[in-house]
Amino acid sequence: MCFAGSVGHTLLQALAAYGEYVRFIKAIEDEGGTISSRELEGYFYQGKEVDVWIERFSLKGKKDNYIASIRAKDGNYTELADSRFSTDLHKVLLWARKELDFNPCVFGEVDLSQAKAEAAIRGEGAELYIAGYIMLELGYIVSVASPNMPGYDLIVVDPQTQKSCRLQVKYRSNNTASLKFSSLDFDFLILVDKPYHEVKDISPDGGSSLRPIAKFDVWVLSREWVATRRKANGHLSNPRYLQHYHDWSKIVDFLSVDSSD
């Protein structure tokens, strides 16, 4: 049985939310970066009601780090226990689940018992992210393929040449993970890794503020490259090589007019 904590009052008052699993509120500036925080209410620790704080530390040039802490409802937010820092938010939440009474599985927007449902949301989000990127950056027309097409997710069309290509999009929360294919019915594989946050100094109106901006590592692999390296069981070992990193020229060349045309 899962015990769900409810969202309580936040550490900071803000209108905007930053989303990555737990939706963090507007960040405060810290030395060399930002700290984004959420306070969650409705949990119990050693028989007493407590709050759970989830924090994300985004520093320039470094990976995001997460930490969870269990705090007393005594007006001073006395810290009773905390996890170790981790680049994996999931590990931090699992620590909180283990430490708290009743082993809750809901933390803000995250339900640890619904991993498959959340993975489906992230997967669809990756497809829409890639579709939007290609349309805005490359100027191609992109449509979502029918769910009955198991080999590809997006169809990209060059409005000038009328040529098209099929993209399979895969999202991974572990940036060292291997992949498995049931079909090679695509022209390009697009691998999207979980976001990290780049700390930027924003000053559009004369003021200045550090903000964590979500960034995604994207790998563009041709079908031919995948086919020659895929194992007999359908697995492809970690394909994150420099030659594939944001290499959109593969798609541009594929959709270009042949010299023989």
Side-chain angles (χ1 to χ4, degrees):
M1 176 178 178
C2 285
F3 173 82
S6 60
V7 178
H9 91 273
T10 56
L11 298 174
L12 301 169
Q13 297 301 315
L15 297 176
Y18 292 94
E20 185 199 345
Y21 302 102
V22 170
R23 297 191 183 103
F24 292 100
I25 67 168
K26 185 177 180 181
I28 61 173
E29 295 185 18
D30 187 45
E31 190 173 327
T34 61
I35 303 175
S36 305
S37 308
R38 277 288 294 278
E39 179 188 339
L40 306 174
E41 292 183 339
Y43 300 94
F44 290 84
Y45 178 68
Q46 297 180 355
K48 296 182 179 180
E49 188 174 2
V50 295
D51 294 337
V52 174
W53 288 15
I54 311 294
E55 296 173 287
R56 183 186 69 213
F57 291 75
S58 302
L59 302 177
K60 290 184 177 179
K62 296 184 178 181
K63 291 183 177 180
D64 293 337
N65 267 279
Y66 301 90
I67 191 169
S69 58
I70 299 171
R71 297 179 181 257
K73 297 180 74 68
D74 58 1
N76 296 317
Y77 304 107
T78 302
E79 186 175 296
L80 304 175
D82 64 59
S83 69
R84 295 181 179 181
F85 279 102
S86 175
T87 58
D88 187 343
L89 175 60
H90 187 71
K91 289 182 179 179
V92 168
L93 297 180
L94 287 176
W95 171 87
R97 181 181 185 180
K98 181 179 178 181
E99 293 292 319
L100 293 165
D101 297 350
F102 312 115
N103 302 123
C105 60
V106 176
F107 296 92
E109 295 71 36
V110 177
D111 185 341
L112 295 174
S113 69
Q114 300 294 325
K116 289 185 177 180
E118 182 160 336
I121 293 173
R122 302 293 166 181
E124 185 174 346
E127 294 172 16
L128 297 175
Y129 170 76
I130 293 300
Y133 181 90
I134 291 175
M135 296 179 77
L136 291 169
E137 180 69 13
L138 303 179
Y140 296 138
I141 299 170
V142 183
S143 58
V144 177
S146 166
N148 295 321
M149 300 292 103
Y152 56 94
D153 305 297
L154 302 174
I155 301 172
V156 182
V157 178
D158 185 328
Q160 294 181 324
T161 67
Q162 297 300 307
K163 290 189 174 183
S164 65
C165 65
R166 302 159 300 166
L167 308 183
Q168 181 174 141
V169 180
K170 287 187 176 292
Y171 173 84
R172 288 294 181 271
S173 58
N174 182 345
N175 59 10
T176 61
S178 61
L179 306 172
K180 185 176 182 179
F181 302 89
S182 58
S183 170
L184 291 178
D185 187 23
F186 57 84
D187 298 303
F188 296 96
L189 168 68
I190 311 297
L191 174 58
V192 182
D193 285 333
K194 73 173 183 179
Y196 61 94
H197 293 80
E198 180 181 285
V199 178
K200 297 190 68 175
D201 191 348
I202 307 298
S203 53
D205 55 3
S208 181
S209 178
L210 294 178
R211 297 289 177 86
I213 309 300
K215 299 288 184 178
F216 296 83
D217 285 337
V218 178
W219 314 85
V220 183
L221 296 82
S222 69
R223 178 190 181 280
E224 291 73 22
W225 191 92
V226 172
T228 58
R229 288 162 176 80
R230 186 181 65 149
K231 298 177 181 178
N233 61 3
H235 283 273
L236 175 68
S237 298
N238 187 355
R240 296 166 179 83
Y241 296 102
L242 180 60
Q243 69 191 85
H244 305 310
Y245 187 71
H246 279 278
D247 186 13
W248 301 103
S249 65
K250 294 186 180 79
I251 294 177
V252 173
D253 291 343
F254 188 91
L255 297 177
S256 297
V257 178
D258 294 333
S259 58
S260 58
D261 289 351

